[in-house]
Amino acid sequence: MKPTMAKFELTKNCNANCVFCFAGSNKGVYYPDMSFHAWKEIGIKIKNFGVKILNLSGGELFLHKDFERLVKFYKELGFKIFLNTNGTFSVENILPYLDKEDMIIFSIHSLGEQNDKITGVKNAFEMAAKNVLTSCQSKVQTAINMVLIKSNFDMVEEEFNYFNEYGIDKFSAFIPFAFLPPFEMYFI
């Protein structure tokens, strides 16, 4: 048996400052990224190993300077692509590289201003909701990931219903539990 999926954290850089961040990203801090060439070589090696699906994430993967170029290259290699994003960057430029087998997974943790408070980004919900709609109207599969913490735990059904109206394909609620203080104050 061989692995069928690999997850690449393309960048640690992020434009958000989520209260629960488990990626260790800090908004405003620059972390050096691996080059296009390095990611290309890793992609070729895991393709030769038999991996079929690449899950690309970060930080915020749209911040990697070669993000679009990498997606295009990985699709040319024949990978199915899953993209994890906070949705604050337009998905329109990436959609032409993706097809119905691929998926954009949006991390949205509540509705409206509550999501903005959780992510530390003004208008994050508005931007993400617009991109979810754009994704749903394309041929690409669209998913929502919601990290559950004390401040949004009672919003799961409302958020699911809201985005279900858009025509999303998947919705996941995730409860992280492996944190030590000070993170525990954010969780149930």
Side-chain angles (χ1 to χ4, degrees):
M1 177 184 274
K2 291 186 177 186
T4 59
M5 177 188 249
K7 185 170 185 175
F8 290 177
E9 185 179 293
L10 292 182
T11 185
K12 191 172 179 175
N13 294 302
C14 192
N15 64 321
N17 197 24
C18 297
V19 297
F20 55 77
C21 182
F22 40 85
S25 299
N26 292 302
K27 183 179 178 180
V29 175
Y30 173 76
Y31 303 95
D33 292 330
M34 285 196 331
S35 68
F36 171 80
H37 180 74
W39 281 119
K40 177 181 169 183
E41 292 302 313
I42 293 169
I44 291 168
K45 285 179 182 178
I46 67 157
K47 182 65 178 176
N48 290 337
F49 191 63
V51 171
K52 307 274 187 235
I53 303 167
L54 276 185
N55 185 327
L56 306 178
S57 70
E60 174 51 52
L61 55 86
F62 279 82
L63 290 175
H64 191 287
K65 68 182 176 91
D66 294 313
F67 168 63
E68 284 184 38
R69 193 170 156 207
L70 283 165
V71 170
K72 182 179 179 193
F73 176 76
Y74 292 146
K75 286 302 294 179
E76 288 170 355
L77 282 179
F79 285 111
K80 182 190 295 189
I81 302 289
F82 293 175
L83 304 176
N84 290 275
T85 178
N86 62 30
T88 58
F89 292 89
S90 175
V91 297
E92 289 181 16
N93 290 342
I94 206 70
L95 289 173
Y97 302 118
L98 304 175
D99 57 45
K100 65 182 179 161
E101 302 253 321
D102 302 315
M103 184 183 308
I104 302 178
I105 305 161
F106 294 90
S107 294
I108 303 175
H109 312 293
S110 195
L111 301 177
E113 290 181 12
Q114 179 65 20
N115 183 71
D116 298 357
K117 287 178 188 174
I118 292 169
T119 62
V121 177
K122 186 178 180 178
N123 300 317
F125 178 79
E126 182 181 322
M127 292 181 280
K130 178 182 176 190
N131 283 308
V132 169
L133 182 60
T134 299
S135 182
C136 285
Q137 292 172 340
S138 76
K139 61 188 177 283
V140 177
Q141 295 179 63
T142 305
I144 304 291
N145 267 354
M146 180 182 189
V147 174
L148 297 180
I149 56 177
K150 286 180 183 179
S151 64
N152 71 355
F153 191 78
D154 60 345
M155 298 290 298
V156 175
E157 186 175 0
E158 188 175 346
E159 183 170 331
F160 169 78
N161 290 334
Y162 182 88
F163 285 111
N164 199 40
E165 292 290 319
Y166 281 44
I168 59 171
D169 299 289
K170 292 181 175 39
F171 183 94
S172 297
F174 169 68
I175 301 175
F177 64 90
F179 291 103
L180 299 173
F183 299 106
E184 67 185 8
M185 69 183 160
Y186 297 110
F187 301 101
I188 300 161

